[in-house]
């Protein structure tokens, strides 16, 4: 107290003597325990200073309470009146808390004049009712498992705030009596009956009271909740056990809803779990709702469902995933057939080949052997066929009996029939197979019928025989003619032609060739009228089924294509220079032939070599035999003639019988003959008269090269080269043999080889082969002077008497003068 006075004195000194101070303080006040908030404690006022400065906001206030507490605060009543009240932040408890509080009231105005006084608050004791401890004060929830035997449930606890030593007993009782529960005086709660969750109330509300010695009471609420246990078996509530469902339901379709109840769950089905006991591929069950859905395709027409459409399931319901209570039920599903499969066929496209000679009523196709309906039950698996239709099928094909699917022929299929040709002998039949039950599914069947032609007509040529003319001058490849074989059967087959016989010669096995596709006959080689004038061929034609033959006569038209050939082709003659004009030189006669010309068609002329026209032929035309005559005498002495050797090129032309106009158009052939005439000067010796005139011949023999004998030097040269090559190869082989022999002898005898210088003494032998060629005399002639016959070589001009012993005349011995002259001749 004295400390407070000292503090106030100090504040007065610091304030400079202003009159601001608290009225009715210091003071002492009382407040009952457990007072509610805003309970009045003490009233005071403030005396302002002389300056009347107002108090600062928030003042006065409680500072530094002892013991520290927040149970009090200052409330403003007016500008200078205030009161102290409880805050309710702390419970004022006489038995357990402080009983006295020193509150310092501090005030300050705007000029910072302050004052401080002490208010002593004493807490007074109040008689309090008993109180329940802990959560009991607010009420308590108690849980009792059902089916528990009657007995102890809970022990109540309360205390009396006035009885700090807890020596005064309290009395407990049930304010609301219950036949299921009993409360003892010491606060023990008992159950008097067995509690069944499913049979009665699920919870009980008990009002429990407690009384102290002063008859003050307190109460609280107990909620006794009966805990349900799993002691009841679930039972099914869905009435149906058999279901009929159509096939082909989509997966996920709900087909049944199985419901059940569990008495333990107060009819809440969501607490139950459903399952299908046996393995099943068609259905699944929702384990929470019990709805059965389609899990797999239900095809009544296939598999096990076709044999047995009934599906049995056992549904299990349980009240917890494992353990607990469960129940079972048998349900049956019957899968009903629907018309979900259209009538169809293993083949929807048919191709039929039918002979053109097929008779009416012929069965083409029985569709019942190919068509079917997979539906398992009637009438869903029944079907029939519609009336046939299609291009070209009318009046040719029908169904007998109607709707049976038996396609028969009712018309004509003759391949050559114009109406059938217009249709191409190919017909299309369209028929539909359809269900007899809704929704009447249909499938179209396409039948292609092709007429097969028969070999009704033989293969024949256009003519019974053929005759063609071809000129012998035509070259190889010339078209002779064409044959054609036909078959009235349709479609037309390709015909192959060949020559069966004929058309051959000694030199050519095949003179003619026929095109196997077109039948065109052509020449393989040039033909000759003079050799064969007529060819008879047999030509065969075949089309793969039939074979036919025809005779072809080919006439070879003769043409003037042969040159005149004369004998001899070459001739050598020696005549004196004083031979008389008109003389047939050495009785030379030229005989000519022509295979395709008349003997009177020859015309003779001398080309080159007839200088000064000394020679001529008689006759020069119109005969195949002519003679060489001297047309004019030689004049060597006068210098007119200077050539002693004449080479005459004779032309023999076969156009003598042609007129001047046709010569330019006709084919004319010309042959040639070469004549060699040597003129000898008149002899200077005097020949005595004799019974026969004596003529001395000077015979000059010389070898002249003929261009036509080019092969002779060629063969000789080639033979010489081959001979030289052969000799060379033999020399090489001989040298190798000698080398091997010498090598082997060297190894045996170990003799040294021959020195190089010794090879000089070796002689080389050359083998020369002489070939003697005999002159061949290929012609004969009569000597114009002696009349004897001699032989000559037409190429070299060499001559000899045919029989010199018998044919030479007996000439008298010439004089020595004449002997010398004759010796000079040869």
């Amino acid at each position: 107290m004295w400390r407070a006075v000292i503090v106030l004195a100090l504040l007065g000194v610091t304030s400079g003597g202003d009159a601001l101070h608290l009225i009715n303080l210091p003071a002492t006040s009382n407040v009952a325990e457990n007072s509610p908030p805003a309970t009045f404690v003490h009233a005071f006022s403030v005396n302002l200073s002389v300056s009347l400065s107002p108090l600062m906001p928030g003042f006065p206030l409680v500072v530094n309470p002892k013991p520290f507490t927040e149970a009090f605060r200052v409330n403003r009543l007016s500008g200078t009146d205030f009161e102290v009240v409880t805050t309710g932040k702390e419970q004022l408890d006489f038995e357990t808390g402080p009983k006295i509080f020193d509150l310092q009231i501090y005030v300050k105005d705007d000029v910072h004049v302050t004052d401080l006084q002490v208010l002593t608050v004493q807490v007074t004791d109040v008689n309090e009712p008993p109180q329940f401890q802990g959560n009991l004060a607010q009420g308590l929830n108690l849980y009792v498992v059902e089916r528990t035997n009657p007995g102890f449930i809970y022990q109540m606890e309360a205390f009396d705030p006035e009885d700090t030593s807890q020596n005064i007993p309290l009395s407990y009782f049930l304010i609301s009596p219950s036949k299921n529960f009993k409360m003892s005086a010491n606060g023990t709660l008992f159950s008097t009956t067995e509690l069944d969750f499913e049979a009665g109330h699920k919870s009980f509300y008990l009002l429990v009271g407690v009384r102290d010695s002063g008859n003050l009471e307190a109460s609280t609420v107990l909620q006794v909740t009966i805990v349900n246990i799993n002691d009841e078996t679930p039972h099914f509530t869905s009435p149906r056990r058999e279901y009929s469902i159509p096939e082909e339901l989509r997966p996920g379709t709900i087909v049944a809803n199985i419901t059940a109840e569990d008495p333990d769950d107060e009819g809440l089905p969501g607490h139950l779990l459903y399952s299908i006991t046996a393995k099943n591929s068609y259905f699944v069950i929702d384990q929470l709702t019990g709805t059965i859905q389609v899990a797999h395709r239900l095809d009544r027409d296939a598999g096990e469902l076709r044999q047995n459409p009934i599906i049995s399931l056992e549904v299990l319901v349980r009240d917890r995933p494992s353990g607990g209570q469960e129940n079972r039920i048998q349900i049956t599903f019957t899968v009903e057939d629907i018309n979900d499969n259209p009538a169809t066929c293993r083949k929807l496209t048919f191709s039929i080949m039918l002979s053109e000679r097929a008779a009416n009523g012929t069965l083409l196709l029985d569709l019942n052997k190919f068509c079917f309906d997979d539906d398992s039950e009637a009438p869903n698996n029944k079907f029939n066929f519609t009336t046939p239709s299609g291009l070209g099928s009318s009046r040719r094909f029908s169904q007998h009996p109607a709707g049976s699917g038996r396609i028969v022929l009712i018309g004509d299929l003759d391949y050559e029939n114009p109406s059938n040709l217009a249709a191409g002998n190919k017909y299309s039949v369209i028929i539909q197979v359809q269900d007899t039950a809704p929704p009447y599914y249909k499938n179209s069947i396409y039948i292609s019928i092709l007429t097969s032609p028969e070999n009704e007509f033989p293969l024949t040529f256009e003519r019974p025989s053929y005759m063609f003319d071809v000129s012998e001058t035509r070259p190889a490849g010339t078209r002779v003619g064409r044959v054609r074989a036909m078959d009235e059967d349709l479609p037309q087959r390709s015909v192959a032609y060949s020559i069966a016989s004929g058309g051959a010669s000694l030199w050519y096995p095949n003179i003619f060739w026929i095109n196997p596709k077109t039948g065109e006959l052509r020449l393989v080689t040039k033909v000759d009228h003079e050799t064969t004038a007529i060819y008879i061929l047999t030509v065969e034609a075949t089309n793969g089924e039939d074979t036919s033959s025809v005779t072809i006569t080919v006439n070879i038209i003769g043409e003037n294509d042969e040159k005149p050939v004369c004998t001899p082709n070459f001739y050598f003659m020696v005549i004196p220079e004083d031979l008389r004009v008109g003389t047939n030189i050495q009785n030379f006669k030229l005989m000519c032939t022509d295979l395709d010309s008349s003997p009177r068609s020859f015309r003779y002329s001398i080309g080159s070599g007839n200088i000064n026209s000394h020679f001529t032929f008689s006759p020069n035309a119109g005969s195949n035999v002519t003679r060489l005559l001297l047309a004019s005498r030689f004049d060597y002495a006068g210098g007119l003639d200077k050539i002693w050797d004449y080479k005459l090129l004779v032309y023999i032309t076969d156009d003598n019988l042609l007129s001047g106009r046709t010569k330019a158009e006709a084919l004319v052939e010309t042959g040639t003959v070469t004549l060699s005439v040597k003129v000898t000067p008149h002899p200077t010796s005097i020949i005595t008269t004799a019974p026969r005139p004596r003529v001395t011949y000077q015979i000059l023999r010389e070898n002249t090269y003929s261009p036509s004998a080019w092969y002779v030097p060629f063969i000789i040269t080639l033979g010489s080269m081959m001979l030289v090559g052969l000799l060379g190869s033999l020399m090489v082989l001989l040298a190798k043999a000698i080398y091997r022999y010498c090598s082997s002898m060297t190894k045996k005898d170990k003799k040294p080889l021959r020195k190089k210088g010794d090879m000089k003494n070796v002689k080389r032998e050359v083998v020369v082969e002489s070939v003697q060629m005999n002159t061949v005399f290929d012609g004969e002639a009569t000597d114009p002077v002696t009349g004897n016959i001699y032989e000559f070589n037409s190429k070299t001009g060499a001559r000899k008497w045919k029989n010199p012993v018998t044919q030479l005349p007996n000439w008298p011995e010439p004089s020595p003068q004449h002997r010398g002259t004759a010796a000079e001749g040869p």
Side-chain angles (χ1 to χ4, degrees):
M1 193 67 179
W2 289 105
R3 292 177 182 176
V5 174
I6 294 173
V7 172
L8 291 173
L10 291 173
L11 289 173
V13 174
T14 58
S15 62
D18 291 337
L20 176 67
H21 62 277
L22 297 168
I23 302 175
N24 295 330
L25 289 174
T28 299
S29 297
N30 298 323
V31 62
E33 65 175 333
N34 299 322
S35 296
T39 300
F40 174 79
V41 178
H42 180 74
F44 69 91
S45 61
V46 178
N47 187 18
L48 301 176
S49 64
V50 179
S51 61
L52 300 178
S53 297
L55 299 177
M56 291 185 68
F59 289 92
L61 52 81
V62 178
V63 296
N64 298 325
K66 293 181 181 180
F68 181 79
T69 181
E70 292 183 352
F72 305 98
R73 73 171 184 269
V74 177
N75 282 346
R76 182 186 290 270
L77 300 177
S78 65
T80 58
D81 297 327
F82 301 93
E83 66 177 357
V84 176
V85 296
T86 59
T87 63
K89 293 182 179 181
E90 294 181 5
Q91 186 71 28
L92 298 175
D93 189 359
F94 180 83
E95 289 77 19
T96 60
K99 297 178 178 54
I100 297 176
F101 296 92
D102 290 334
L103 306 179
Q104 295 183 16
I105 308 300
Y106 179 62
V107 65
K108 180 192 278 188
D109 62 7
D110 288 342
V111 295
H112 300 287
V113 177
T114 62
D115 190 12
L116 180 67
Q117 297 297 332
V118 177
L119 174 64
T120 301
V121 179
Q122 295 180 351
V123 179
T124 60
D125 187 22
V126 177
N127 188 15
E128 299 174 281
Q131 296 179 1
F132 288 98
Q133 293 183 358
N135 292 332
L136 281 174
Q138 305 299 327
L140 186 64
N141 290 330
L142 300 178
Y143 295 91
V144 179
V145 178
E146 69 169 332
R147 304 288 183 183
T148 304
N149 294 327
F152 174 81
I153 295 178
Y154 188 72
Q155 178 64 50
M156 305 294 293
E157 292 183 1
F159 70 94
D160 187 355
E162 303 298 331
D163 185 9
T164 57
S165 61
Q166 301 291 327
N167 293 324
I168 303 173
L170 299 176
S171 177
Y172 298 89
F173 56 93
L174 288 177
I175 298 175
S176 56
S178 173
K179 65 178 182 179
N180 301 107
F181 300 95
K182 182 180 179 180
M183 178 71 70
S184 65
N186 63 355
T188 302
L189 180 65
F190 295 92
S191 61
T192 59
T193 61
E194 185 182 79
L195 301 176
D196 186 3
F197 182 85
E198 291 80 19
H201 297 289
K202 308 300 186 290
S203 63
F204 299 89
Y205 291 90
L206 302 178
L207 186 58
V208 180
V210 63
R211 185 183 297 116
D212 62 7
S213 59
N215 290 327
L216 293 178
E217 297 179 354
S219 63
T220 188
V221 177
L222 293 179
Q223 181 179 353
V224 181
T225 301
I226 307 304
V227 178
N228 186 19
I229 63 174
N230 189 18
D231 61 342
E232 299 289 340
T233 300
H235 62 273
F236 291 94
T237 58
S238 54
R240 295 184 62 182
R241 298 292 184 269
E242 296 181 356
Y243 298 87
S244 295
I245 59 174
E247 64 172 330
E248 300 295 349
L249 291 176
R250 290 182 302 175
T253 303
I254 297 175
V255 294
N257 188 13
I258 306 302
T259 58
E261 292 182 355
D262 187 357
D264 292 324
D265 289 339
E266 299 180 350
L268 298 177
H271 295 169
L272 300 176
L273 300 176
Y274 300 88
S275 63
I276 298 175
T277 58
K279 183 178 180 182
N280 182 273
S281 61
Y282 293 108
F283 301 101
V284 292
I285 189 169
D286 191 316
Q287 65 174 355
L288 298 179
T289 63
T291 57
I292 298 178
Q293 302 175 355
V294 176
H296 188 266
R297 180 188 178 194
L298 295 171
D299 189 359
R300 173 67 177 83
D301 311 313
E304 59 184 10
L305 292 180
R306 189 176 184 91
Q307 304 298 328
N308 182 15
I310 299 176
I311 304 173
S312 296
L313 302 178
E314 184 182 60
V315 178
L316 172 68
V317 61
R318 61 177 61 182
D319 54 13
R320 61 182 60 181
S322 61
Q325 304 294 327
E326 64 182 30
N327 199 355
R328 299 168 186 263
I329 187 176
Q330 292 286 339
I331 62 173
T332 301
F333 290 98
T334 301
V335 182
E336 297 179 345
D337 183 43
I338 64 173
N339 188 16
D340 60 328
N341 291 310
T344 186
C345 303
R346 288 189 296 274
K347 290 176 59 179
L348 294 176
T349 302
F350 294 89
S351 181
I352 300 175
M353 182 73 73
L354 193 61
S355 172
E356 64 174 323
R357 296 180 181 179
N360 287 345
T362 300
L363 177 63
L364 277 65
L365 179 65
D366 188 356
L367 294 174
N368 289 285
K369 297 180 180 180
F370 300 92
C371 299
F372 57 91
D373 192 329
D374 280 334
D375 289 315
S376 58
E377 296 179 357
N380 296 329
N381 58 2
K382 301 299 180 181
F383 56 89
N384 56 20
F385 299 91
T386 61
T387 303
S389 63
L391 181 63
S393 64
S394 61
R395 297 187 300 277
R396 290 187 177 92
F397 309 99
S398 180
Q399 188 177 188
H400 181 75
S404 64
R406 291 171 54 86
I407 310 300
V408 297
L409 175 66
I410 61 171
D412 175 28
L413 293 182
D414 184 14
Y415 205 94
E416 290 76 28
N417 191 319
S419 62
N420 294 339
L421 286 174
N425 284 296
K426 185 176 182 180
Y427 313 96
S428 297
V429 177
I430 302 174
I431 189 171
Q432 288 184 331
V433 55
Q434 65 179 8
D435 288 340
T436 58
Y440 304 106
Y441 290 116
K442 295 182 180 180
N443 259 327
S444 295
I445 303 172
Y446 301 92
I447 305 173
S448 177
I449 301 174
L450 185 64
T451 303
S452 172
E454 297 289 338
N455 188 14
E456 300 177 290
F457 302 96
L459 179 66
T460 58
F461 283 89
E462 290 179 335
R463 305 177 191 172
S465 62
Y466 291 85
M467 181 176 292
F468 301 117
D469 296 334
V470 61
S471 173
E472 65 174 336
T473 60
R474 302 303 298 169
T478 299
R479 182 180 183 275
V480 177
R482 180 182 179 184
V483 298
R484 184 180 179 187
M486 297 184 62
D487 187 349
E488 294 183 9
D489 287 316
L490 295 178
Q492 290 285 347
R493 292 176 175 266
S494 60
V495 179
Y497 301 91
S498 63
I499 299 175
S501 62
S505 66
L506 296 177
W507 298 276
Y508 295 98
N510 297 306
I511 297 177
F512 300 93
W513 174 80
I514 190 168
N515 191 314
K517 295 182 178 180
T518 62
E520 190 175 61
L521 189 66
R522 291 182 177 272
L523 291 176
V524 174
T525 183
K526 189 175 181 181
V527 293
D528 186 14
H529 172 79
E530 290 72 25
T531 301
T532 304
I534 297 176
Y535 291 93
I536 298 178
L537 312 177
T538 300
V539 173
E540 286 187 353
T542 179
N543 59 1
E545 291 183 346
D546 295 336
T547 301
S548 181
S549 61
V550 70
T551 300
I552 302 177
T553 301
V554 181
N555 297 318
I556 308 301
I557 306 300
E559 300 286 349
N560 187 20
D561 62 334
E562 298 287 344
K563 295 181 179 180
V565 177
C566 299
T567 303
N569 185 41
F570 176 84
Y571 199 83
F572 177 78
M573 293 172 285
V574 178
I575 61 174
E577 64 174 318
D578 58 351
L579 186 65
R580 188 175 55 185
V581 175
T583 301
N584 179 195
I585 300 174
Q586 293 188 359
N587 292 327
F588 176 78
K589 181 172 63 175
L590 189 64
M591 301 182 65
C592 298
T593 59
D594 192 339
L595 296 178
D596 53 12
S597 298
S598 170
R600 295 191 305 136
S601 64
F602 298 126
R603 181 171 56 85
Y604 306 94
S605 61
I606 300 175
S608 61
N610 191 13
I611 300 174
N612 295 329
S613 301
H614 288 297
F615 305 97
T616 186
F617 280 97
S618 178
N620 62 355
S623 175
N624 65 329
V625 178
T626 185
R627 290 174 172 78
L628 180 63
L629 302 180
L630 183 64
S632 62
R633 61 183 300 275
F634 298 103
D635 187 4
Y636 292 100
L640 179 63
D641 294 315
K642 298 180 180 180
I643 296 175
W644 297 89
D645 295 316
Y646 292 88
K647 291 187 179 298
L648 305 180
L649 183 62
V650 182
Y651 294 103
I652 302 95
T653 306
D654 55 2
D655 62 349
N656 182 56
L657 299 179
L658 299 178
S659 63
R661 187 184 66 177
T662 58
K663 283 185 179 181
E665 300 175 356
L667 183 62
V668 176
E669 295 291 340
T670 301
T672 59
V673 172
T674 302
L675 300 179
S676 178
V677 179
K678 183 175 180 62
V679 179
T680 58
H682 184 71
T684 57
S685 60
I686 300 173
I687 301 174
T688 59
T689 60
R692 295 182 62 182
R694 182 174 180 178
V695 178
T696 302
Y697 293 93
Q698 293 183 352
I699 301 175
L700 179 64
R701 299 180 182 272
E702 63 179 0
N703 290 328
T704 59
Y705 172 72
S706 175
S708 61
W710 60 270
Y711 56 88
V712 176
F714 174 76
I715 292 175
I716 294 174
T717 304
L718 182 61
S720 301
M721 294 176 63
M722 293 178 62
L723 182 60
V724 172
L726 178 61
L727 292 175
S729 61
L730 291 176
M731 291 296 293
V732 171
L733 293 175
L734 180 61
K736 290 182 178 180
I738 294 173
Y739 175 77
R740 286 195 298 268
Y741 177 77
C742 294
S743 298
S744 61
M745 294 300 293
T746 303
K747 292 180 181 179
K748 293 179 180 180
D749 302 335
K750 296 182 180 180
K751 296 179 179 181
L753 296 175
R754 181 179 295 180
K755 294 181 180 181
K756 185 176 181 180
D758 297 339
M759 297 299 294
K760 296 179 180 179
N761 298 325
V762 178
K763 294 182 179 180
R764 296 181 180 179
E765 297 181 357
V766 178
V767 179
V768 179
E769 180 180 358
S770 300
V771 179
Q772 182 177 1
M773 298 183 62
N774 296 327
T775 303
V776 178
F777 296 92
D778 56 354
E780 293 183 358
T782 303
D783 183 69
V785 178
T786 64
N788 295 329
I789 298 174
Y790 60 90
E791 297 177 349
F792 65 91
N793 187 299
S794 59
K795 295 180 179 179
T796 62
R799 294 186 302 174
K800 72 173 183 176
W801 297 111
K802 187 173 183 180
N803 290 314
V805 177
T806 58
Q807 295 189 19
L808 286 177
N810 294 322
W811 301 106
E813 283 292 331
S815 62
Q817 183 179 359
H818 292 102
R819 185 181 297 113
T821 304
E824 293 176 359

